[in-house]
Amino acid sequence: MAHPSQLGFQDAASPIMEELLHFHDHTLMAVFLISTLVLYIITIMMTTKLTNTNSMDAQEIEMVWTIMPAIILIMIALPSLRILYLMDEVNDPHLTIKAIGHQWYWSYEYTNYEDLSFDSYMIPTSDLTPGQFRLLEVDSRMVVPMESPTRLLVTAEDVLHSWAVPSLGVKTDAIPGRLNQTSFIATRPGVFYGQCSEICGANHSFMPIVVEAVPLHDFENWSSSMLET
C-alpha cells in the first residue's frame, strides 16, 4: 500500500515485481550516468569554449558516441527481454481465477471449484469502518493462497478495463470477447490494492481491486465457507 510522500514503487509482493524493481534501478542508474556525462561535456564546452575542429570531429569521438549508445541499449534490452519472458510464462498453476470487468465492478470465478464465484463492489465511503481505505475497499476480496502459482484469466463484459495490482507486478487489459492470461505468486501474506487502469466510463475510479494472500489452510477454510453459502 502506498503512503503519503512515498518515493519509488510499492513494496514487492511477488518475484516478478522484485525483478521489475531491480530493472528499474538498473535503468535509472544508466540514465543517471548518461545525464551526468552529457551535463559535464556541456559544462566544459561552455566554460572553456571547446570549439576546436580537430577535437570535435576526431575519429575517436565519432566511434565512442556510436558504440557506447549501442552497448547501453544492449545492457537495457537483455534484462528487459528476460523479464518479459518471465511475465509471459505460466508453469503448472495451482489455482486459476477468471476476473471479469463490468461497469463498474469486478467478478471473480475460481475455475478449480464448480460454484465458487462472486462480485466485488467498492464499499461506499459512508459504510467504511475505521482502518479501511476510501475508494479502495471492496465487499468481497479476491483471496489467493500465498507461495502458490496463480493463473489469472482476464476479460470484460462491456467495455475495456484493466486489472492492475502494483505490488504483485500485474497489469492486464480486460477486453470484451477476448481472454488475456497472466500469472503471479504472492510471496508473503497481506492485502494488496489495485484499481482499474483503463478509462472505462463515469465510474472508472470506483472499481478497485483487492487481493488478499493467506496461508494455504486459511484459503481452504475460506473456500469451504464460500461454497457452503
Side-chain angles (χ1 to χ4, degrees):
M1 182 67 189
H3 56 78
S5 303
Q6 175 177 335
L7 296 177
F9 294 93
Q10 299 180 26
D11 293 337
S14 70
I16 290 297
M17 192 58 194
E18 292 177 2
E19 293 285 345
L20 291 173
L21 290 178
H22 294 156
F23 176 69
H24 169 267
D25 296 341
H26 168 77
T27 308
L28 191 62
M29 183 56 65
V31 172
F32 174 76
L33 294 176
I34 294 170
S35 302
T36 303
L37 177 62
V38 172
L39 181 61
Y40 172 75
I41 294 174
I42 292 175
T43 303
I44 292 297
M45 292 180 66
M46 293 178 64
T47 56
T48 64
K49 302 186 182 300
L50 182 61
T51 57
N52 185 281
T53 303
N54 293 330
S55 299
M56 298 302 296
D57 296 334
Q59 184 68 26
E60 293 81 3
I61 295 179
E62 293 282 352
M63 293 179 61
V64 168
W65 68 39
T66 300
I67 296 175
M68 286 300 295
I71 295 175
I72 293 172
L73 289 176
I74 292 174
M75 292 175 60
I76 294 175
L78 291 180
S80 175
L81 293 174
R82 173 179 174 271
I83 295 175
L84 285 174
Y85 176 79
L86 292 175
M87 294 176 69
D88 195 50
E89 190 72 12
V90 181
N91 290 320
D92 191 24
H94 297 173
L95 180 67
T96 300
I97 303 174
K98 184 178 180 182
I100 306 170
H102 308 270
Q103 289 184 313
W104 285 274
Y105 64 96
W106 293 95
S107 296
Y108 298 104
E109 298 177 1
Y110 287 68
T111 59
N112 300 82
Y113 301 85
E114 185 174 353
D115 298 317
L116 182 49
S117 61
F118 53 88
D119 297 329
S120 181
Y121 292 90
M122 186 192 75
I123 299 178
T125 302
S126 58
D127 297 335
L128 291 175
T129 59
Q132 292 185 325
F133 299 103
R134 188 176 71 90
L135 302 182
L136 288 177
E137 295 291 350
V138 296
D139 56 358
S140 298
R141 296 172 173 176
M142 190 185 95
V143 181
V144 299
M146 57 177 290
E147 298 182 345
S148 295
T150 301
R151 173 170 53 192
L152 186 69
L153 306 176
V154 183
T155 187
E157 199 169 76
D158 34 49
V159 299
L160 291 176
H161 299 279
S162 184
W163 200 92
V165 179
S167 294
L168 297 175
V170 178
K171 183 178 184 295
T172 305
D173 288 339
I175 304 173
R178 179 171 179 173
L179 204 61
N180 288 333
Q181 176 179 268
T182 187
S183 64
F184 63 88
I185 301 175
T187 55
R188 57 184 172 87
V191 180
F192 311 109
Y193 296 89
Q195 290 177 303
C196 174
S197 297
E198 190 73 46
I199 299 178
C200 56
N203 290 336
H204 154 68
S205 57
F206 300 101
M207 50 182 304
I209 301 162
V210 182
V211 178
E212 183 175 358
V214 299
L216 180 58
H217 65 276
D218 291 335
F219 174 78
E220 293 175 344
N221 294 335
W222 172 83
S223 60
S224 299
S225 63
M226 292 292 291
L227 290 172
E228 291 174 359
T229 57

